[in-house]
Amino acid sequence: MAMQDDHIITPRRTRSGQTSQASFSRAEARGPVIDQEGREIPVDRTDPQFHGFHFEFGGTTFAPLNREQRLARLEALAKLLDVAFILPGTNIRYGIDGLIGLIPVVGDIITTAISLWLVREARALGAPWHVTARMLGNVAVDGVVGLVPLAGDAFDVMFRANVRNVRLLRRWLEKQPRI
């Protein structure tokens, strides 16, 4: 299918005379919407209210996770961060939170950011403010005390803020009626 010249969008010039790369809005775009393989996407599928989004990669379909799958993902991440390994010859469990925390300041910032992502996911699952506040408190204690060299790392191993936070979320979810 050959396109006519009136379907070509010419780049706009800015005040400085340079060409603007993305200067048109959706309302200005004309013609069909084409996917990466050159197929036309129907207009009803480009509607911003389309909620059935999924994509395929190598024959595997990726769809949005349900509540139980998201909670299982959070639990797996919390276990990896806090209790994934056992100190040989002892019964002491530690995770990558304790290992990354050995890097001064930067390690604690990284692990605190991951812990904050867990809290954000809990909020996305519908956790109320009082549960999220307790979770944020656990992250704050873990992050601040973790900044202390060596003693903070030992505290990180024993406190296990991420496992505590997932346990708080799980308890709250168990009290909620199933929809």
Side-chain angles (χ1 to χ4, degrees), residues 5-117:
D5 288 341
D6 61 343
H7 291 295
I8 298 173
I9 298 174
T10 57
R12 293 185 180 170
R13 302 245 181 237
T14 61
R15 289 181 185 169
S16 64
Q18 297 175 345
T19 303
S20 174
Q21 296 297 321
S23 60
F24 64 91
S25 69
R26 180 182 170 145
E28 291 179 77
R30 295 178 299 219
V33 178
I34 307 295
D35 69 3
Q36 291 179 346
E37 295 174 359
R39 295 181 303 233
E40 184 175 335
I41 300 173
V43 175
D44 61 334
R45 299 232 7 229
T46 59
D47 189 356
Q49 295 178 354
F50 178 70
H51 294 292
F53 177 77
H54 73 279
F55 63 96
E56 294 184 19
F57 181 74
T60 305
T61 300
F62 294 93
L65 301 176
N66 65 28
R67 185 170 95 169
E68 286 303 316
Q69 291 170 329
R70 290 173 77 179
L71 189 58
R73 179 178 61 180
L74 294 178
E75 285 178 339
L77 182 60
K79 287 179 182 177
L80 177 66
L81 286 169
D82 290 340
V83 293
F85 313 109
I86 298 175
L87 193 62
T90 67
N91 216 10
I92 298 173
R93 299 186 70 86
Y94 65 97
I96 60 171
D97 186 356
L99 295 174
I100 295 173
L102 291 172
I103 303 168
V105 183
V106 175
D108 294 308
I109 291 172
I110 291 169
T111 57
T112 301
I114 296 170
S115 297
L116 287 172
W117 179 82

Side-chain angles (χ1 to χ4, degrees), residues 81-178:
L81 286 169
D82 290 340
V83 293
F85 313 109
I86 298 175
L87 193 62
T90 67
N91 216 10
I92 298 173
R93 299 186 70 86
Y94 65 97
I96 60 171
D97 186 356
L99 295 174
I100 295 173
L102 291 172
I103 303 168
V105 183
V106 175
D108 294 308
I109 291 172
I110 291 169
T111 57
T112 301
I114 296 170
S115 297
L116 287 172
W117 179 82
L118 285 170
V119 176
R120 182 206 152 288
E121 281 292 304
R123 191 69 182 153
L125 285 170
W129 69 270
H130 59 88
V131 173
T132 5
R134 285 188 62 187
M135 292 173 79
L136 285 171
N138 287 337
V139 172
V141 167
D142 188 42
V144 170
V145 176
L147 288 171
V148 178
L150 295 178
D153 298 318
F155 180 80
D156 273 347
V157 169
M158 304 313 275
F159 187 62
R160 300 177 181 160
N162 300 302
V163 171
R164 286 175 186 250
N165 286 343
V166 171
R167 192 178 314 132
L168 278 170
L169 179 63
R170 172 72 75 180
R171 283 187 196 145
W172 176 80
L173 284 172
E174 287 172 354
K175 294 178 185 176
Q176 302 308 305
R178 297 296 294 182

